[in-house]
Amino acid sequence: MLSAILGRVADKAVRNQRLVLSVKYLSLSVKQQQLTKVSDRKAHQRAGSGKETHATKNRTILPKVNNSHLDAFNVISAGYCEEEQEANDSKVCDDDDYDGNKDRTHHIAKSASLTAFQRKLQESRDFTLSHKEWKEFRNEAYAENPALQKSWETLCMQLMRHHACPQLATSLIDYIRSEASPNLITLALYIGLQGKHGAEDKESLIFKSYSEINKITNVFDSMTAKYLISGLSMTSKWRETLDILEIAKLTVSPGKSYYSPIVAAAFRNYDQDLAFKLLDEMAQKGMQPQNYVLLEILQVCKDIGDNTLLEKYFTYIWHYNWLPSQEDARELELHFTGSAQEKWQCRWTHINTVRGTCMACNHQLEKTELLADDFEALQKTFLEKALVGSNVYLKSNPKEVGIFEDFVQKNAPFDVVLDALNIAFKRGPKMFSKSRQLRDIVSYFAQKKHMRVLVIGRAHMLKWPQADMRYIQHHSKVFLTENVSSDDPFCLYATLASGKNCMFVSSDFMRDHKYNLDLHLKEVFVRWQKSRQILNFSCSNKGVSVKMPSMYDCGPVKDNRGWHLPYAVDNTSLKSTSQPVLCLRCCVQSLP
């Protein structure tokens, strides 16, 4: 599989095992230089967490990679080191840079000419520079800081990408080509910029630059791969991004900014099977697609005059708990109210999550309560399919699972199961330690709500402050897995084993744990999860706030008159008993 992928990318050239190793060495050697200082600085913070730090994992002796084009990459990617460190901890490499909403060049070497160039871009994007002007700019920057000789062109391209200046970027590329060859990361940034903001002739510009890149190398580091995907996905060669994605997977777990452009391209080119296959893959990794994917779906529906594709996407939103943003909701409103086939009434309103009624149309939503037979089937199947299956044994062992089964059988039922690390690492007051936050949540359920509490964590928690741990162990049952084990399935199993009324507390959507279930039980799992999982909770000096799950299915849900589409709102109070929704009522249907 790997050799086939590399072969297609390299125009079917023969690749041996050394090429595969060069991919890993290329990425690891670059990351090692960038992350060592960050890892060392953060290592003492993680010492008690039991997590293997990036510094520990990558302190290996690697062959030197002598590629001059990496000099610019090292400089421009330095701004990503903090973010990629956190991404590595969560095993997904991703950032927001695809949307161009962050300027990553604030930590570059100081240069008055570069600062002036950045200020000019902020003031106006409608200008270009001649070859003579670019040369004067470059020489001035070199005189100010000789270190810029290896990174000047890349820093300029990054600034132009951030400020969306494709025409100016083309003039820079033309100037560089007149004297030498652009480096790899500059070309990749240029391709990404042209793909997103380029004019009608962008395909020829992108293909020319991509051809130059393939003359440099057929193997890409993770950042170069991301830029290439964002650009090529907007062209007729968008399918080649699938090979680039596979190359990226050799060294990182690609995030949503890798997947979303390909998903959008698949929808745009009417390959729905591929689009939904990639969406499934994203969901299994706990990712939600970026906003522009929905825009592509809406455009396709508008082009064909049918909303079947959109309704299928709504089922994904429901299954995977992808709560659309307010921006998404506005686009949906425009789509439905602008329909030529049907007349829709759209209202921004709320669902009363206690009574399950829409405050605009008074529609009564269905309860998420499960039938007894469905719950028993889910309960019976989960151990075999999700706990004992490959989902856990990759990171656990049969002995640990057996001990846990005996523990649950002896101590169940519980009223609530707590995902200890998820709760402890949830952002809270700066003065609160991880153990203090978990202790307060335990106290809330055990002391205030008088519930039987099970805490599931990892063995390294025993190193936490003893006063907090003694309190937690005194007011709840505690099961600590090995430090390398995945604790999510243990939480789900203990909750299911405790019966229909047991709840579990975690802000993790557990999207990957339903994959070993059949189609019917997947839907049962989602309905059970929506009614039993406490996603929203917080700790402060004023106490603990918990938002209990609604007993009603808030959607997206369709009835005989239209849709109720939930969306996310910032700063929603945990005490709120309502869910913001878009109430769409079909008033007049056109005749067929």
Side-chain angles (χ1 to χ4, degrees), residues 327-347:
E327 180 184 346
D328 291 337
R330 291 190 190 97
E331 295 294 340
L332 288 165
E333 177 188 23
L334 292 173
H335 175 77
F336 280 96
T337 55
S339 173
Q341 286 76 31
E342 298 173 321
K343 184 177 179 180
W344 291 84
Q345 181 184 37
C346 177
R347 287 175 285 188

Side-chain angles (χ1 to χ4, degrees), residues 65-167:
V65 182
N66 186 19
N67 290 292
S68 60
H69 61 267
L70 288 180
D71 293 327
F73 174 83
N74 290 337
V75 174
I76 202 66
S77 62
Y80 292 84
C81 60
E82 295 269 359
E83 183 174 37
E84 287 202 7
Q85 172 66 25
E86 298 302 323
N88 285 328
D89 289 340
S90 62
K91 302 175 185 177
V92 174
C93 180
D94 206 4
D95 57 66
D96 301 326
D97 194 48
Y98 182 86
D99 293 323
N101 58 2
K102 292 185 180 179
D103 191 345
R104 306 289 185 176
T105 59
H106 59 275
H107 47 89
I108 64 175
K110 291 182 178 180
S111 166
S113 58
L114 273 173
T115 301
F117 180 63
Q118 182 177 13
R119 191 178 301 114
K120 188 173 183 179
L121 290 174
Q122 292 170 345
E123 295 171 353
S124 173
R125 303 176 185 179
D126 298 326
F127 71 95
T128 188
L129 298 178
S130 65
H131 286 194
K132 181 181 178 181
E133 290 170 321
W134 278 118
K135 186 173 183 178
E136 291 174 351
F137 177 18
R138 182 197 66 181
N139 291 339
E140 184 179 355
Y142 287 1
E144 293 167 348
N145 188 342
L148 290 174
Q149 293 183 36
K150 295 182 178 181
S151 58
W152 171 81
E153 67 183 65
T154 305
L155 294 172
C156 289
M157 188 61 69
Q158 176 74 341
L159 285 170
M160 290 183 287
R161 181 176 180 270
H162 175 74
H163 293 285
C165 304
Q167 185 177 356

Side-chain angles (χ1 to χ4, degrees), residues 23 26-28 30-31 34-35 69-85 87-88 93-98 102 104-105 107 154-155 158 161 184-193 213 217 219-232 244-245 247-255 257-258 261:
V23 178
L26 174 65
S27 179
L28 288 175
V30 170
K31 285 186 178 180
Q34 299 163 0
L35 296 177
H69 61 267
L70 288 180
D71 293 327
F73 174 83
N74 290 337
V75 174
I76 202 66
S77 62
Y80 292 84
C81 60
E82 295 269 359
E83 183 174 37
E84 287 202 7
Q85 172 66 25
N88 285 328
C93 180
D94 206 4
D95 57 66
D96 301 326
D97 194 48
Y98 182 86
K102 292 185 180 179
R104 306 289 185 176
T105 59
H107 47 89
T154 305
L155 294 172
Q158 176 74 341
R161 181 176 180 270
L184 173 65
I185 193 65
T186 299
L187 288 169
L189 284 164
Y190 177 68
I191 288 174
L193 169 60
I213 284 179
T217 180
V219 180
F220 312 117
D221 59 82
S222 60
M223 285 183 64
T224 300
K226 181 166 71 71
Y227 295 138
L228 291 178
I229 288 172
S230 69
L232 284 173
I244 299 174
L245 179 65
I247 292 288
K249 289 179 182 178
L250 292 173
T251 54
V252 297
S253 180
S257 60
Y258 292 76

